Amino acid sequence: MTSENVSGSVEPVEAVPAKAVDDQLIDELVGRAQAGGLQLTGEGGLLQQLTKRLLESALEGEITDHLGYDKHDPAGKNGGNSRNGKRSKTVLTDVGPVEITVPRDRDGSFEPKIVKKRQKRLTGVDEMVISLAAKGLTTGEVQAHLAEVYGAEVSRQTISTITDKVLEGMAEWQSRPLDAVYPVVFIDAIHVKIRDGAVANRPVYVALAVTAEGRRDILGLWAGDGGEGAKHWLHILTEIKNRGVSDVLMLVCDGLKGLPEAVETLWPRTIVQTCVVHLLRNSFRYAARQDWDKIAKLLKPVYTAPTEEAALERFAEFADAWGRKYPAIVKLWENAWEEFIPFLRFDTEIRRIVCTTNAIESVNARIRRAVKARGHFPNEQAALKCVYMAIMSLDPTGKGQARWTMRWKTALNAFDITFDGRLSAARQ
């Protein structure tokens, strides 16, 4: 067995197991590169040279398969088609721009697969660009990053073209079939700045569900203008229902106007629950920072009360203590009371999981980071694309999903008992 070294000469290599050959060759290449003063990375570095060799070798293999004979093999003589020289092209790779030579055939029927005709970037580069954009980087910032780290000049239009590829996937994702039953669906708003004449805050609504197995499932994204009512929510929920959702046990939201009426129309057995965490946060908006701890201490007995009657008594105590100084907080809770009290009927496991929304907040925090990094968007579609890419970049290792499932395991049993077996029926 032989191997080709950096200089191009052929030297014998002792036959050893495949894994050992890999390590041996790698060590040899790195050692020779370092001894010769060759950088491992960067312009003209070892990684670029290896990438060039591997791509060109793969292309030679492809044209050999296409023609049916090896280079210089007499079997190809007068075979009707033959090699016809090479052409140079530069492709952008994960290790920077690499100039390669692509073999050609005489009748022009050769279609390379590893580096297609007119292809200027390898797949990993597109994924890199989309990953950077998912973190909220603008096209200009992605362009600067590629230039600084990889020495690659990529136009803003090319970057936009790459990220626009996600729109097809987004449309397919937004219309995919859903589960028949979800124990709980959270609907929350992420506010983005969109330049429509003037820069204005616009909500993007995220519907995040928990499946019967305890997995997280983001059902979709919808843009709004902040003035949504029952008709708007009926349209969104009808879309979700048409994708296969026949039942939702509980829908948790932040006092979205018209949403309870729309839920009543489509899923009359669904309980609409005001998000307690949002209710507390909204309360703090009306209070001075130095009073937050005192207010939280008096509100906790309200949302941890064993019954609605006990909650009313605790709320009356809160109103007596703070109603004169912060009447807006009292009014906030009174207005939300009808959507708050279902929470008090549930087992402590359900209360804990609905009230402790860390997992939901982690999703929203990731989206908000991407949105904040962008500042503002030229239009609604650009904002939705950014939020979608942020969602698709969540939890690449799957560890977060595993923790989510474990957290929900006990609560799902409580859901099934509380809601008369509607959840277990969905698993059958």
Side-chain angles (χ1 to χ4, degrees), residues 235-254:
H235 171 76
I236 289 177
L237 298 185
T238 298
E239 177 186 320
I240 293 174
K241 186 173 183 179
N242 288 344
R243 289 163 61 193
V245 182
S246 59
D247 193 11
V248 174
L249 307 188
M250 180 187 295
L251 189 144
V252 182
C253 62
D254 181 22

